[in-house]
């Protein structure tokens, strides 16, 4: 926590706005909008997953439709496709950003069109805070008239050529889950340039109640709105978001300065015009064995690290859906490791982690 969260939470209690609406919700939405861009409307929701679910529904995805999804991601990017009875089509990553490959994306679209099932939406992800290739993905989206859901759950504070992630897609989504760069313990948001989409999202998120004095419903609704108490935490967190990005980027720099000279450790660099919040610092090693020897050496010292996301097309729940792969995400999963990356790591923590890693690498 940054320090001012409790003031806003106390306001919620003092004014008795303990409900999924209230001044904290409205002001948290305003704070997010003014951080990412003046031209967007933001709906605060109960989770990032809920935001993806609503985004897909608002883009017209329903039973029997196909939705393209970046395979190298966390399962929450893809699960809402199944909630809607639609079929995910997984697309592998490019090496430069580790995100959805424009080349394979176009190949997937052409293949699905030739089979008579043009995808209804594309879910592209700024994984670990690194922006995907926004220009090329946008071009493909325009060319085939398929909207993009921009999963920015890990990328609040990241930018592409000076513009904030979450403002490029037809609908952007954010997460404030406990593990993200800022948190409301659990929470999310839908970001859109279209005010009508925001209003529809809130309508669906609050049980789709029609305008009538009694409870009248002509649409299936959800209970997906954010609590005014949690939005109070969010308001305080927005005040330290800039510091958090700085801290995460400083972690990355420390690791790179102290491990970057090693042949067996590679870092993901920012291509020109890309700015990553460096939510997690990830390394790529030459082999599964090297990766494991580092991970186990850290574990031995009670330091947690984790393999990179396991691609969706390899997950038991998703393995039978169509996929377009090039081996990139499988290699990342096999040889990659997320290093400790908390915003509160001290230099002595980082030094200790680096020392363990250096010792674990055979030829050093
Ligand atoms: C965390 C995360 C989500 C889901 O957000 P929740 O708020 O946890 O539901 C979606 N996509 C990605 C890439 C994430 O990391």
């Amino acid at each position: 926590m940054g320090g001012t969260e409790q003031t806003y939470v106390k306001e919620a209690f003092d004014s008795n706005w303990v409900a999924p609406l209230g001044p904290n919700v409205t002001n948290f939405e305003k704070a997010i909008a003014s951080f990412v861009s003046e031209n967007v409307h933001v709906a605060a929701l109960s989770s990032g997953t809920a935001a993806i679910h609503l985004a897909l529904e608002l883009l017209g995805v329903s039973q029997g439709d196909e939705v393209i999804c970046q395979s190298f991601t966390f399962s929450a990017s893809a699960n809402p496709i199944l909630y809607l009875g639609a079929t995910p089509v997984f697309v592998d990553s490019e090496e430069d950003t580790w995100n959805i490959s424009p080349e394979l994306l176009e190949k997937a679209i052409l293949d699905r069109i030739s089979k008579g099932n043009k995808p209804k939406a594309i879910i592209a992800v700024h994984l670990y805070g690194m922006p995907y290739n926004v220009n090329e993905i946008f071009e493909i989206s325009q060319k085939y008239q398929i909207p993009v859901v921009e999963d920015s759950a890990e990328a609040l504070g990241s930018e592409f050529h000076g513009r904030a992630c979450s403002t490029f897609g037809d609908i952007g989504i954010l997460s404030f889950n406990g593990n993200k760069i800022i948190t409301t313990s659990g929470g999310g948001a839908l970001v859109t340039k279209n005010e009508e989409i925001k209003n529809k999202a809130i309508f669906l998120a609050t049980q789709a109640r029609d305008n009538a004095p009694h409870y009248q419903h002509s649409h299936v609704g959800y209970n997906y709105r954010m609590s005014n108490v949690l939005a109070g935490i969010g308001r305080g967190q927005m005040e330290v978001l800039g510091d958090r990005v700085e801290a995460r980027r400083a972690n990355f720099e420390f690791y790179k300065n102290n491990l970057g000279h090693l042949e067996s450790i590679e870092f993901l660099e920012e291509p020109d015009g890309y700015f990553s919040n460096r939510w997690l610092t990830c390394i790529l090693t030459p082999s599964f064995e090297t990766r494991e020897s580092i991970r186990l050496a850290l574990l031995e010292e009670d330091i947690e690290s984790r393999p990179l996301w396991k691609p969706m097309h390899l997950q038991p729940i998703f393995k039978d859906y169509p996929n377009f792969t090039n081996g990139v995400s499988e290699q990342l999963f096999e040889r990659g490791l997320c290093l400790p990356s908390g915003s509160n790591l001290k230099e002595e923590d980082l030094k200790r982690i680096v020392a363990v890693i250096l010792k674990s690498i055979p030829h050093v």
Side-chain angles (χ1 to χ4, degrees), residues 91-127:
V91 172
D92 214 320
S93 289
E94 56 174 7
E95 277 175 349
D96 293 358
T97 66
W98 296 359
N99 292 315
I100 192 164
S101 152
E103 203 178 302
L104 271 186
L105 171 62
E106 187 157 28
K107 193 174 154 198
I109 292 171
L110 289 171
D111 176 81
R112 302 324 288 175
I113 290 176
S114 78
K115 294 189 165 68
N117 214 347
K118 182 178 157 183
K120 270 288 185 62
I122 299 161
I123 301 173
V125 189
H126 306 296
L127 210 64

Side-chain angles (χ1 to χ4, degrees), residues 46-50 52 73-74 76-77 125 127 151 153-154 173-177 179-180 187-188 279 309:
S46 54
S47 72
T49 311
I52 297 171
T73 186
F74 175 51
S77 304
V125 189
L127 210 64
D151 182 342
E154 302 178 2
I173 75 96
L174 296 168
S175 167
F176 310 109
N177 197 50
N179 58 339
K180 298 306 198 292
W279 174 56
W309 297 123

